[in-house]
Amino acid sequence: MPESPASILLIDDHPLLRQGIKQLVDMEDDIDVAGEASNAADGIRLATELEPDLILMDLNMPEMDGIEALKKLREQNVSSRIVMFTVSDQEDDVVAALRAGADGYLLKDMEPEDMIDQLRQAAVGKMVISDRLTTLLAEALRSNKPQQTSRPDYDSLTPREKDILRLIAEGLSNKMIGRKLDISDGTVKVHVKHLLKKLNLRSRVEVAVWAVEEGLHKG
């Protein structure tokens, strides 16, 4: 963990929930609530001002929902990790959030200690998904695959692409992968684009699920 605490921005329209998370986080030394917003528009403004390590955002908010806000944040090149925090365990919501660029999806009924652990993981660049959603997600991605006649061909990847694929499967962000392999974020993005095309997969989440199913994440 870095010496300065990881900063978190809370975006949720329920004051009690924000207060509860803040109290939990305040008990920890390595994470810190840097700001909070009760709606998506204020949240986007604060995100660009504060540039927090992590944004924890509700999915269902009035005026602008979490998916729309997520897309706007990504359009504005906000580099914070963005995790959706919601009551919805609907397959469509989970897949839509991850396809829109979320770095995680956590359910509000999780145990407080689990949530703190997941926030820590997310702040250091890991993708976080509530346990009971991982099976649902794998099923959803399997049934949503484009009609592909051939299975993804792992052997068609270059050694560097295989390294990156394994790190994606571990849930690392492009920035963390770049740091680990000593290459730039931009170079990682190019490799990810190539490996998606070669494997005929549409997102890094599909890559991660496929690699875990094939046992490739173990190196």
Side-chain angles (χ1 to χ4, degrees), residues 91 95 99 134-148 202 206 209-210 213:
E91 177 187 302
V95 174
R99 287 203 192 286
T134 44
T135 313
L136 173 143
L137 184 61
E139 289 298 329
L141 294 171
R142 224 173 277 136
S143 58
N144 285 343
K145 287 260 168 72
Q147 45 289 17
Q148 55 187 55
R202 290 176 296 180
E206 290 189 7
V209 171
W210 175 72
E213 284 178 345

Side-chain angles (χ1 to χ4, degrees), residues 59 67 70-71 84 90-102 105 137:
L59 186 68
I67 300 282
L70 173 60
K71 287 177 180 168
M84 308 311 290
Q90 295 302 301
E91 177 187 302
D92 291 353
D93 287 336
V94 183
V95 174
L98 295 171
R99 287 203 192 286
Y105 195 102
L137 184 61

Side-chain angles (χ1 to χ4, degrees), residues 16-88:
L16 274 176
L17 188 120
R18 293 199 310 274
Q19 186 60 32
I21 293 172
K22 205 166 177 307
Q23 285 173 350
L24 271 178
V25 170
D26 281 349
M27 292 191 282
E28 308 299 323
D29 296 329
D30 52 357
I31 46 179
D32 179 49
V33 173
E36 51 182 291
S38 59
N39 60 68
D42 286 348
I44 292 169
R45 181 179 54 75
L46 273 177
T48 52
E49 279 175 23
L50 299 171
E51 295 183 0
D53 295 307
L54 177 66
I55 297 170
L56 191 63
M57 179 161 63
D58 190 12
L59 186 68
N60 301 304
M61 292 182 285
E63 292 169 34
M64 189 195 305
D65 69 17
I67 300 282
E68 199 182 331
L70 173 60
K71 287 177 180 168
K72 285 189 187 301
L73 287 164
R74 289 303 183 216
E75 279 164 16
Q76 292 183 25
N77 292 321
V78 168
S79 62
S80 312
R81 308 284 291 165
I82 303 174
V83 173
M84 308 311 290
F85 189 51
T86 176
V87 292
S88 172

Side-chain angles (χ1 to χ4, degrees), residues 92 198-199:
D92 291 353
K198 286 183 184 178
L199 297 173

